[in-house]
């Protein structure tokens, strides 16, 4: 067994563990999984030890499953103009029967997660904005509800600029809203919009 086989085996096991720990709609490192899966198949079928086939096959299967799941979620997700989403959220958050809590985040693929807690309901939503920047949307809704001077807003911008994505949790306190930040459970790498002058 050569050095290459050891590297392939370690890479396969590491990627498999990562894929199993991080189940969910966030696809893992697709390219790495394909490269190591491919190397495992090649070594396993060909010149390397045959047992390399097994982790390679499992990794490729899990990766394909994650990818299909993410694609299905994405195709089911509503695609809406950013200004429209913002107006709807603000109207709801300012109405008596509206959300009592709103959790906002931009997923690594650019979708905006908007989890809401009403008095009698809890719902997880996500939208893909067709026009406008998703990061601006999160910042603008936070500024509108918690105020442009909210500490959490400044911290969100600072963390994002430093390369760490965050969830913004907005909670209703009487007539006012409070903002707080929470860590992102899946990938914390922030999404980079292509055409936003603020969030390059
Ligand atoms: Zn932006």
């Amino acid at each position: 067994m050569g050095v290459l086989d050891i590297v392939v085996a370690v890479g396969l096991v590491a990627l498999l563990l990562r894929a199993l720990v991080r189940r969910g709609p966030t696809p893992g490192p697709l390219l790495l999984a394909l490269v190591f899966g491919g190397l495992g198949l090649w070594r396993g079928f060909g010149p390397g030890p045959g047992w390399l086939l097994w982790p390679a096959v499992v990794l490729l299967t899990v990766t394909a499953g994650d990818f299909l799941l993410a694609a299905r979620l994405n195709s089911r997700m509503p695609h809406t103009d950013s200004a429209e989403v913002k107006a709807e959220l603000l109207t709801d958050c300012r109405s008596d029967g509206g959300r009592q809590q709103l959790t906002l985040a931009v997923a690594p693929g650019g979708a905006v997660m908007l989890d809401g807690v009403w008095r009698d309901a809890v719902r997880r939503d996500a939208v893909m904005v067709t026009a406008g920047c998703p990061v601006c949307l999160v910042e603008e809704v936070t500024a509108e509800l918690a105020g442009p001077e909210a500490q959490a807003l400044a911290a969100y911008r600072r963390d994002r600029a430093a390369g760490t994505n965050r969830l913004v949790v907005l909670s209703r306190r009487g007539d006012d809203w409070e903002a707080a930040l929470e860590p992102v459970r899946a990938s914390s790498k922030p999404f980079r919009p292509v055409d936003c002058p603020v969030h390059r």
Side-chain angles (χ1 to χ4, degrees), residues 133-136 193 196 198-199:
C133 161
V135 186
C136 285
C196 177
V198 185
H199 301 108

